[in-house]
Amino acid sequence: MTLLMNSEIKNERFILVSENKSFKNIFFSIADAFGKKRPSQKINSWQTALFWRIAWLISLITRKEPLLTKHSAKSAHGVSYYSAEKIKKALNFNFEKIENVIKRVVKNYPL
């Protein structure tokens, strides 16, 4: 982000993503990094639709941000692919692998 802000590039949109990974793969990587059991319960789309509505209702009562939103519930079951080729070419930039980031961050949160 700093490279982009300090560059001459103006009025452009970029996707900043190192690689395309599913929620499942990300959660498995996080569990592995913490040395914990991987999530094993499959949640159907109707269940996440119900859960985000319950979370929304609870957030109204508690006045706190919901743990699950409509958009995060929907994206958990959808498949979207993104490419960061535009920013890689514009700034000659390479992203760090998500597994490396997870391992580095987990070191700051010992259990």
Side-chain angles (χ1 to χ4, degrees):
M1 290 289 295
T2 306
L3 283 174
L4 191 55
M5 291 187 305
N6 293 331
S7 73
E8 297 295 319
I9 300 171
K10 304 288 183 220
N11 300 322
E12 293 281 338
R13 293 182 181 194
F14 294 94
I15 294 175
L16 304 177
V17 59
S18 67
E19 54 200 306
N20 287 295
K21 295 278 187 176
S22 67
F23 274 114
K24 178 182 174 182
N25 288 337
I26 297 296
F27 287 131
F28 280 8
S29 296
I30 292 169
D32 292 345
F34 275 116
K36 299 293 182 182
K37 183 180 163 194
R38 289 179 168 188
S40 59
Q41 297 293 322
K42 181 173 173 67
I43 302 292
N44 295 317
S45 58
W46 69 266
Q47 291 169 310
T48 53
L50 177 65
F51 293 151
W52 78 256
R53 287 173 171 88
I54 292 169
W56 175 80
L57 185 60
I58 291 170
S59 73
L60 284 178
I61 296 166
T62 62
R63 297 183 186 254
K64 294 181 181 179
E65 291 291 320
L67 294 175
L68 181 66
T69 66
K70 177 181 181 179
H71 301 292
S72 60
K74 185 176 180 180
S75 67
H77 295 283
V79 177
S80 299
Y81 295 100
Y82 300 96
S83 173
E85 288 303 314
K86 183 177 176 182
I87 195 156
K88 287 179 181 180
K89 289 179 183 176
L91 297 178
N92 194 24
F93 182 79
N94 288 313
F95 291 93
E96 188 175 354
K97 296 278 186 195
I98 190 70
E99 284 84 12
N100 297 341
V101 174
I102 290 170
K103 288 175 186 174
R104 188 180 72 239
V105 170
V106 163
K107 290 178 185 175
N108 295 321
Y109 297 97
L111 296 179

